Amino acid sequence: ILKLIPRHYPQSLYYSFNISHPVLRKAAARAQVQAARADGRAGRAPRGLMKHLDDLQSLLRNPLVDKFIAALDMMTAVPVSLKNLSSQIATALGKNSQEGRLEAQALYDGFYNKCVGSHPVLGRWIARDTSSDYQKFFKRILPAKQFGPPSNRGLIRSAKTMNKRKFRGVWSKALTQLVNHPEVAKRGASSKLKDYSMWLYNYERHSSGLLEYLEVPGQYSGREMPQPERHVKIVNFGPRVMVILSKQKPKRVTVHGNDERDYNFLVKGGEDLRLDQRIEQLFAVMNDIVQQEPQCAKRRLQIRTYEVIPMTDVVGLLQWVPNSIPVKNALEDELKRRGLEDISCSVGHDVVDAARKLVRKSASTTAQQLWGHIFTASDEPLLRIFRDSENQVPEDLLCSVIKMFCSSPEAYILVRARFARSFAAFSICGYILGIGDRHLANYLLSKEDGAVVGIDFGYSFGQGVLLPVPEIVPFRMTRQFRNLLRPLDSDGLVKQDMARILHELRVHRDVLLSVLEVFVQEPLLEWQSAAEAKAQSQGCDVSWYPEEKVRIAKMKLEGVHPSRVLLRELKQHSRWKDAQFQQTAISLVKGVRGKRPAFRSRTHYRKCETAREQVDHLMDLATDPKIISRVWIGWAPYL
């Protein structure tokens, strides 16, 4: 079947196979070695699997798509690419073996040749400024003795002095010097496509042969038989890009299709987007489950999804959600309209200053270190700081934003209901998948109907709980969101819908768990690294890590009390052995701090018999001021 698909649908498997191929080859090689050890022969079945992989790769080979992927890869911000390379090299050096050092040298040589020499796929079709930045880094900033050109083999020759720690120090210092260079900073904000990719800038659609077309990505849903002859082909790319001013500096590109329509995509480098893709696929499965129930279908209880197309393990495309705005930007615009544009920033500074006084830390203490101390501080002063910060910001900002989308009071009721239903769907499904890092920039607000769209799932499956400042709220339910739902409050507009959705997911949990098995069979790069580190330190099997993530999701779908699930996740935190941290975490999660125990403690943490009971406990966790007052300041808990 796999060999038939590329013959009929040439570009359907290309991107997925491009990422999975190295992993599959390693698995086949391991199986071949194990078979050889078992019976003294080479192992026919594994060797056959290797041949199948080679045949499939030959069938899928497409030089035009290879160039497209390489051109997108070169759009990644130079510092981001170099940081990603340093992480790979450091991992290889951390093996403390000749094999690891050879691997590190090969990584360095490949990247050097690609960015400073002639690109193996694009040749000289690299943007001049991008090439200049790489040459500046490799030829002028890095120490020539320890690095230099590939022929120098500096990492091999300096084996006695260049260990993982030494490498990180030298590379980090050089990278800081590059980032602070004024020319590099200026170029990184350019809005011209040709400053990032000459190949994309000069691309024009080929005139003959299906394989010589580039299809607009994201047209293979897997839900119906594809019709490639009807798929939209790329004619060329718009000459302007929009740089998003975030850590990775992703860029929005415009694709001109042969249907005379424009398609916007966000090019994101330096990340493995398979996690985002799988989250969106899980959301689609959840939508299918929920829509089978008549009441849920009638109320349109579903998550707004978008296409995610990983090209390699470090670059990919995300479909641009049209006519939307990040909730953070919408609230900031509303503050500007009221002449209060500086208040959000000043509130943040006030909170940090008050926190420093509370734990008696100097101005040189970083915010992350400061909040590490805040987590274990006493409740009363923290609650006072939190309430003061809330009171400095108008409580109806989000209400005003929603009103601006509406032409009448009746329209406001409808838009608000759409907001509440989409928010309920995303929040409860996000809880099942352990989606964290829910600051306001990670929510988009549709200007068409008020629906909420969640983005950026880098901290999923409980990774937010393991942050230096653990995010122990199951979803965001801060004051701006609660006030939008008045006078019914969260009970009428959110909790009932959450319970409906969760009930359906619990009933059909076997379907979800079977889909989640993909994470066990083909874990993400970050999961593999974490699993290997755990295996080395504790002697457990590398499959333990992804299996534990799926096991946590299963506990949630079986109705295990949210406090019990959260404590199990927190036991993997780096600070769990710290007695004060552990004591604070347990009392917060169980809701037994102070004289009045929280609602979630009244059932003695037994299994939740109904979805509504589980939702009540989750909402209690999400709105507990003792927890919210300890949330990382960048999360803006006062909004």
Side-chain angles (χ1 to χ4, degrees), residues 238-465:
R240 313 294 292 186
V241 301
M242 183 173 76
V243 181
I244 309 300
L245 299 178
S246 62
K247 182 175 65 175
Q248 306 286 17
K249 289 194 176 178
K251 298 154 186 78
R252 188 188 72 178
V253 297
T254 301
V255 174
H256 300 313
N258 64 349
D259 60 348
E260 299 185 0
R261 295 178 61 187
D262 290 344
Y263 299 85
N264 290 321
F265 290 93
L266 193 69
V267 182
K268 197 167 188 180
E271 281 187 30
D272 185 352
L273 289 182
R274 281 182 296 170
L275 177 58
D276 289 65
Q277 182 192 43
R278 291 174 183 178
I279 293 292
E280 290 294 334
Q281 290 169 344
L282 285 165
F283 281 161
V285 173
M286 289 174 163
N287 280 340
D288 289 344
I289 291 172
V290 172
Q291 291 305 298
Q292 293 175 16
E293 203 280 319
Q295 278 297 317
C296 291
K298 183 179 179 180
R299 293 180 63 79
R300 293 171 61 199
L301 295 178
Q302 60 183 11
I303 301 171
R304 185 78 58 88
T305 60
Y306 54 89
E307 289 292 331
V308 180
I309 308 102
M311 305 290 194
T312 70
D313 55 12
V314 291
V315 70
L317 295 176
L318 296 96
Q319 179 187 8
W320 188 263
V321 182
N323 204 18
S324 63
I325 182 174
V327 172
K328 179 183 178 182
N329 292 19
L331 297 183
E332 288 175 348
D333 290 345
E334 179 59 26
L335 285 170
K336 288 179 183 178
R337 278 189 286 273
R338 300 188 187 191
L340 302 171
E341 58 266 28
D342 297 329
I343 194 168
S344 182
C345 187
S346 66
V347 170
H349 286 306
D350 290 347
V351 172
V352 172
D353 291 341
R356 288 190 194 282
K357 292 178 182 177
L358 175 63
V359 297
R360 298 177 183 178
K361 295 295 177 182
S362 66
S364 61
T365 307
T366 66
Q368 184 171 301
Q369 292 170 334
L370 181 62
W371 251 255
H373 294 288
I374 284 292
F375 188 81
T376 55
S378 56
D379 294 337
E380 288 187 14
L382 275 181
L383 289 172
R384 187 166 55 252
I385 294 171
F386 174 60
R387 296 300 185 199
D388 287 345
S389 64
E390 270 194 328
N391 292 334
Q392 291 182 56
V393 182
E395 63 178 14
D396 62 342
L397 293 177
L398 191 54
C399 296
S400 298
V401 169
I402 296 295
K403 286 176 184 175
M404 289 185 64
F405 300 160
C406 308
S407 58
S408 66
E410 292 80 10
Y412 175 77
I413 298 298
L414 291 173
V415 171
R416 187 184 69 158
R418 186 75 195 107
F419 175 95
R421 289 168 187 172
S422 61
F423 182 69
F426 178 79
S427 296
I428 200 64
C429 293
Y431 166 69
I432 298 298
L433 301 180
I435 297 174
D437 195 29
R438 291 301 92 197
H439 57 76
L440 294 171
N442 280 344
Y443 290 100
L444 297 182
L445 187 61
S446 171
K447 294 181 180 179
E448 296 175 352
D449 60 0
V452 176
V453 184
I455 61 172
D456 195 351
F457 308 121
Y459 291 95
S460 298
F461 293 96
Q463 288 301 107
V465 177

Side-chain angles (χ1 to χ4, degrees), residues 430-436 459-467 470-474 534 544-545 548-553 555-556 561-576 581 585 589 618 621:
Y431 166 69
I432 298 298
L433 301 180
I435 297 174
Y459 291 95
S460 298
F461 293 96
Q463 288 301 107
V465 177
L466 304 181
L467 288 168
E471 188 176 323
I472 58 178
V473 288
K534 196 82 173 178
W544 172 86
Y545 193 82
E548 175 66 8
K549 298 294 184 184
V550 175
R551 198 174 293 117
I552 291 292
M555 290 173 66
K556 294 174 180 178
H561 194 289
S563 293
R564 288 190 180 278
V565 177
L566 188 51
L567 285 174
R568 177 165 179 152
E569 290 180 296
L570 275 168
K571 286 178 182 178
Q572 303 303 320
H573 197 281
S574 59
R575 293 181 62 192
W576 185 252
F581 175 89
V589 171
L618 288 170
L621 268 168

Side-chain angles (χ1 to χ4, degrees), residues 128-179:
R128 183 180 59 190
D129 290 343
T130 300
S131 178
S132 173
D133 290 345
Y134 281 123
Q135 291 197 31
K136 186 184 278 85
F137 182 79
F138 283 103
K139 291 187 175 182
R140 300 181 197 171
I141 299 178
L142 278 180
K145 182 179 178 181
Q146 296 162 314
F147 295 94
S151 59
N152 196 28
R153 295 180 66 80
L155 288 172
I156 300 295
R157 290 194 300 103
S158 58
K160 293 182 179 179
T161 58
M162 184 57 73
N163 55 24
K164 179 179 178 179
R165 183 177 178 183
K166 177 75 172 176
F167 166 79
R168 284 190 181 278
V170 174
W171 194 278
S172 178
K173 183 179 178 181
L175 190 55
T176 301
Q177 190 176 338
L178 180 74
V179 171

Side-chain angles (χ1 to χ4, degrees), residues 513-585:
L513 292 172
S514 65
V515 178
L516 283 168
E517 273 299 309
V518 174
F519 287 92
V520 177
Q521 301 302 324
E522 190 180 336
L524 302 162
L525 290 177
E526 293 87 346
W527 289 23
Q528 288 177 347
S529 300
E532 289 169 1
K534 196 82 173 178
Q536 289 177 359
S537 63
Q538 297 186 10
C540 56
D541 189 78
V542 291
S543 63
W544 172 86
Y545 193 82
E547 287 174 355
E548 175 66 8
K549 298 294 184 184
V550 175
R551 198 174 293 117
I552 291 292
K554 184 178 181 181
M555 290 173 66
K556 294 174 180 178
L557 289 166
E558 290 176 344
V560 175
H561 194 289
S563 293
R564 288 190 180 278
V565 177
L566 188 51
L567 285 174
R568 177 165 179 152
E569 290 180 296
L570 275 168
K571 286 178 182 178
Q572 303 303 320
H573 197 281
S574 59
R575 293 181 62 192
W576 185 252
K577 293 181 180 180
D578 178 343
Q580 190 177 9
F581 175 89
Q582 185 179 136
Q583 183 181 358
T584 302

